[in-house]
Amino acid sequence: MGLRLSVLGPVSAWDPQGDPVALKGPRHRAVLARLIVARRRVVPVARLVEDLWAEPPADAVSAVRTFVAALRRALEPDRPPRGRPRLLVTEGPGYALKAAEEDVDAWRFEHAVASAAELPPAEAVSRLTQALGWWRGPAYAGLDEGPWIRTERSRLVELNCQAVERRAAAQLALGAAAQAVPDLDAYVTEHPWREDAWYLLVLALYRSGRQSDALSVVRRARRLLGEQMGIDPGPRLRRLETDVLRQADHLDPGPGGTAAQVWAEATAAYERVVPSYARARLESTAGLMRDLAVTGGGGLEAARRHRVAAVAAAEQLGDAELTARVIGTYDVPAVWTRSDDPEQARWLVDAAERTLRLLPADAHDTARARLLATIAVESRGALPVEQAASGERARAYQAARQGEQLARGLGDGPLLAFALNGVFMQTFQRAGLSPRRDAIGAEIVSLGQRNDLVTYEVLGHLVRLQSRCAVSDLAGAEQHAVAADRLSERYGLPLVGVFTTWYRALRTALTQPLAAADEAYREADIALEGAGMPGLRLGLLPLARLGLHLSHGVAPEEAEADWGPYENWVRPWLLVGAGDTEAARAALRDIAPPPRDLMFEALWCVVGRAATAVGDHGTMRRALRELQPAASELAGAQSGLITFGPVSRYLRELSDGLGAHP
């Protein structure tokens, strides 16, 4: 926190430690106030003289310079005697205050009011409540009247009125009508000409079940407007009076109003009772982000963004136990093995590792298990062992196993479900492990049912859906898809439908002609729009369509599609299709193995097909070795989304192609 300047009340300043800064007399404060009003622009000395005195003394210019010098000493006490000012600077014919927006309460207030207009109601209430709390009295209190200060005071009063009315409107939108009434009642008494405020008060009273009080307020508004302004209420307020009398349906907050009111009142109470600097707020934020992540694409993106900020804030406090709780609270189930934001995931893994090192080795087993599970989950899509120079893949696998062991030892069902999610993410050491993942999914389903963990029950069903698809058990996969959809509908988990929609496109690909499957995949891709899962969507539709074409023996149509993270392993086959054998052979030379994830077998199949086409026996042998354990599975179907057909077909092609070159 830097130097803070305040004009929403008496003109004041506080140093970075929170101690008041001595600003001397009213003229010094007036100079500072005038520069704040200028909003970082230069105020000529002549204008300062004109604004400070109705009849300037002969030495007015010299006096202004004296005031500025004193202010500089007060505001920048550590500046060397002849050092260049950084805050109150001389520019051309005058002076400018180069404070940051967040350091001046009036500037900060203006920004908060403007930004609140774009926020959802709950966030707007919180933002505006905080901003209104910055007022310590009338703006620029204690300064003499003058045209410049009257104009600025009027502007800030208008902004204050907007803030009060926007907050009340947001409270009504949330169903918190009763909470809005007291502040609105006091507000209209002080500002009787604000007809919008009367409207909001009447509506708030009516929605609080106080119809007679609402009508009484309309009469009060009519009297005060007539006495003080000589006017009658406007048409909007008159229509509201009529609607209140006849109890118009549109005035009722509708279904969910009570729940919204409970939420608004509870969050407002939290804002009042829990200090903004309390560590409990960071833990609450982490929990809120966990719940937000399953509400849809927008919620998932916001949760990712705010989660990192909460962890960073916890680390800054230097409390390892708090940081561990903030990191570990975000136990959102994850079924896709490629991160939506790899850079952020790596940062979170590093934060979890740092926190683990700071925790006592013989304590906090629950926190340690959550940190280990976080490392395992966030390390999804890590490089395979052959490429991981730093051993990151081995570390993620180790973390998954350690987290599971701790959770089992503690007998903590919810913790074990989280740990098993990490184990699932690291169960791709080789191809053909779908039975192992099926067992993990079954245990997660059981844990979810026994511990009322709906999101983990869904995760277990999706894992089992993937595993059933891998072994061509469509009946079993369908049972898990139906179960996941049922839970999604009952508990409001919209992102589940993305995976079940894609599964049904896969089912179509396995049972219907090429054209029908192609159309199903194109429709499934629409379900991914706005889902907030770029790690899933990037390159998925072209890869699905490539699998269709390979399965049906048809040349691919989308050579120039955006293949996203699959580009390196698809490109050789596309070059083969384009007739550029040499370029394909060059692309295969020393090609890196695909990441060990849900697409591992599919990508090795397409690499093997390209290697066979150009006679690259070394790559063919690598593909044969990697795919052999999955000989009885469908390539790519372990994703629950796509298929490249039976792995056995590719193994035969590779074996036949090697022939005399085993």
Side-chain angles (χ1 to χ4, degrees):
M1 183 180 295
L3 182 79
R4 290 176 296 147
L5 302 170
S6 174
V7 294
L8 300 180
V11 178
S12 309
W14 290 271
D15 66 19
Q17 288 71 46
D19 297 324
V21 174
L23 297 178
K24 294 192 173 182
R27 297 290 186 194
H28 297 79
R29 295 173 189 271
V31 170
L32 180 59
R34 183 63 186 84
L35 295 174
I36 288 174
V37 170
R39 291 296 293 262
R40 299 172 60 88
R41 294 187 296 272
V42 173
V43 181
V45 173
R47 173 56 63 84
L48 285 170
V49 169
E50 181 181 336
D51 288 342
L52 262 59
W53 288 278
E55 296 183 9
D59 63 343
V61 171
S62 178
V64 166
R65 290 174 177 154
T66 299
F67 299 151
V68 168
L71 283 170
R72 282 172 170 163
R73 288 193 296 273
L75 300 177
E76 297 184 70
D78 298 329
R79 183 172 59 88
R82 296 187 179 278
R84 187 180 183 85
R86 299 185 306 276
L87 184 61
L88 205 169
V89 302
T90 302
E91 288 190 7
Y95 304 102
L97 184 72
K98 298 297 185 180
E101 180 178 274
E102 63 271 17
D103 293 335
V104 180
D105 60 358
W107 302 353
R108 212 165 59 240
F109 180 77
E110 183 174 357
H111 175 74
V113 174
S115 63
E118 306 298 325
L119 295 176
E123 293 182 42
V125 169
S126 177
R127 177 75 58 86
L128 292 170
T129 298
Q130 180 189 43
L132 288 165
W134 297 333
W135 285 73
R136 301 173 296 111
Y140 296 94
L143 296 186
D144 294 337
E145 287 290 335
W148 66 275
I149 204 166
R150 282 196 298 272
T151 300
E152 181 64 7
R153 279 175 178 156
S154 296
R155 191 181 72 84
L156 289 172
V157 166
E158 173 61 26
L159 284 174
N160 184 282
C161 291
Q162 290 179 21
V164 171
E165 292 168 12
R166 286 179 184 175
R167 180 177 64 174
Q171 289 170 324
L172 287 172
L174 288 170
Q179 181 183 326
V181 168
D183 287 340
L184 279 172
D185 201 12
Y187 174 72
V188 296
T189 301
E190 187 177 355
H191 303 280
W193 62 89
R194 304 287 296 194
E195 201 164 327
D196 283 349
W198 289 108
Y199 181 95
L200 290 166
L201 177 56
V202 172
L203 189 57
L205 286 165
Y206 181 81
R207 289 186 177 179
S208 302
R210 299 167 60 182
Q211 182 182 10
S212 60
D213 288 338
L215 293 170
S216 176
V217 165
V218 176
R219 292 192 293 271
R220 179 174 149 210
R222 182 178 287 108
R223 186 183 70 253
L224 287 173
L225 287 169
E227 290 175 355
Q228 299 191 21
M229 308 291 294
I231 60 174
D232 292 326
R236 187 164 178 255
L237 190 55
R238 293 199 304 271
R239 281 196 302 270
L240 180 60
E241 181 181 22
T242 302
D243 290 341
V244 169
L245 281 167
R246 64 185 181 87
Q247 298 182 348
D249 290 343
H250 70 83
L251 297 183
D252 191 274
T258 301
Q261 182 169 345
V262 170
W263 169 267
E265 292 179 355
T267 52
Y270 190 92
E271 289 284 343
R272 290 194 304 272
V273 174
V274 182
S276 60
Y277 53 82
R279 299 183 176 203
R281 286 208 173 200
L282 285 175
E283 292 187 67
S284 298
T285 299
L288 185 61
M289 292 309 102
R290 175 189 59 203
D291 296 338
L292 183 63
V294 298
T295 61
L300 180 59
E301 291 173 343
R304 284 200 297 266
R305 183 170 64 252
H306 294 303
R307 178 192 182 192
V308 168
V311 173
E315 282 200 292
Q316 288 174 4
L317 292 173
D319 185 334
E321 295 176 30
L322 171 65
T323 304
R325 291 195 297 272
V326 170
I327 293 174
T329 296
Y330 192 91
D331 53 358
V332 178
V335 72
W336 192 243
T337 49
R338 183 173 293 278
S339 175
D340 292 315
D341 188 335
E343 184 177 345
Q344 182 189 92
R346 185 177 292 276
W347 185 92
L348 286 165
V349 168
D350 290 343
E353 293 282 20
R354 288 193 298 270
T355 306
L356 269 174
R357 290 193 291 270
L358 293 172
L359 287 175
D362 58 348
H364 305 293
D365 281 352
T366 298
R368 296 177 69 81
R370 285 190 170 274
L371 290 170
L372 289 163
T374 298
I375 291 168
V377 171
E378 294 299 336
S379 296
R380 70 187 96 172
L383 295 173
V385 176
E386 297 96 308
Q387 287 179 282
S390 60
E392 57 204 60
R393 182 78 194 189
R395 170 53 182 157
Y397 179 80
Q398 178 192 52
R401 291 304 181 192
Q402 289 176 341
E404 179 191 7
Q405 184 179 7
L406 283 173
R408 291 193 187 280
L410 291 165
D412 186 328
L415 179 57
L416 179 57
F418 184 24
L420 286 174
N421 196 172
V423 173
F424 162 75
M425 285 294 176
Q426 300 304 322
T427 315
F428 296 89
Q429 297 82 21
R430 60 172 176 80
L433 287 176
S434 61
R436 170 67 179 129
R437 289 190 290 277
D438 193 44
I440 293 171
E443 185 172 7
I444 292 175
V445 169
S446 178
L447 287 167
Q449 292 171 340
R450 294 202 311 269
N451 295 276
D452 196 25
L453 304 171
V454 174
T455 54
Y456 275 97
E457 188 178 349
V458 169
L459 171 66
H461 283 301
L462 293 179
V463 170
R464 299 207 68 191
L465 179 154
Q466 294 172 342
S467 302
R468 295 293 86 204
C469 286
V471 295
S472 306
D473 179 9
L474 294 184
E478 182 66 18
Q479 289 179 354
H480 293 295
V482 169
D485 280 335
R486 188 181 299 120
L487 291 167
S488 169
E489 183 177 353
R490 182 176 180 183
Y491 293 99
L493 305 171
L495 295 179
V496 175
V498 170
F499 293 97
T500 55
T501 297
W502 271 84
Y503 150 71
R504 291 194 168 91
L506 165 60
R507 185 183 179 93
T508 301
L510 291 170
T511 59
Q512 300 293 323
L514 175 63
D518 191 71
E519 181 62 26
Y521 274 127
R522 291 182 185 277
E523 291 179 2
D525 188 56
I526 296 173
L528 267 169
E529 291 182 4
M533 294 187 283
L536 175 61
R537 190 179 193 191
L538 288 176
L540 183 58
L541 180 60
L543 192 67
R545 299 188 72 234
L546 175 61
L548 283 178
H549 290 102
L550 287 177
S551 298
H552 288 79
V554 179
E557 299 175 356
E558 299 193 25
E560 300 307 318
D562 181 0
W563 295 93
Y566 311 114
E567 170 79 24
N568 288 344
W569 298 281
V570 170
R571 182 56 55 189
W573 176 245
L574 298 178
L575 290 168
V576 169
D580 195 342
T581 304
E582 286 307 312
R585 188 175 286 110
L588 285 167
R589 190 176 301 123
D590 300 322
I591 192 170
R596 296 183 184 271
D597 59 18
L598 286 164
M599 295 299 191
F600 181 69
E601 286 96 326
L603 294 178
W604 264 122
C605 284
V606 73
V607 168
R609 177 68 63 85
T612 301
V614 300
D616 183 338
H617 298 121
T619 302
M620 291 167 66
R621 281 190 288 271
R622 289 173 65 196
L624 185 67
R625 183 174 61 251
E626 294 289 354
L627 289 171
Q628 191 64 53
S632 62
E633 296 187 2
L634 289 175
Q638 67 172 359
S639 66
L641 312 178
I642 70 169
T643 181
F644 277 44
V647 172
S648 57
R649 178 194 306 161
Y650 295 89
L651 291 173
R652 283 196 303 272
E653 290 178 1
L654 289 165
S655 297
D656 292 346
L658 284 169
H661 304 275

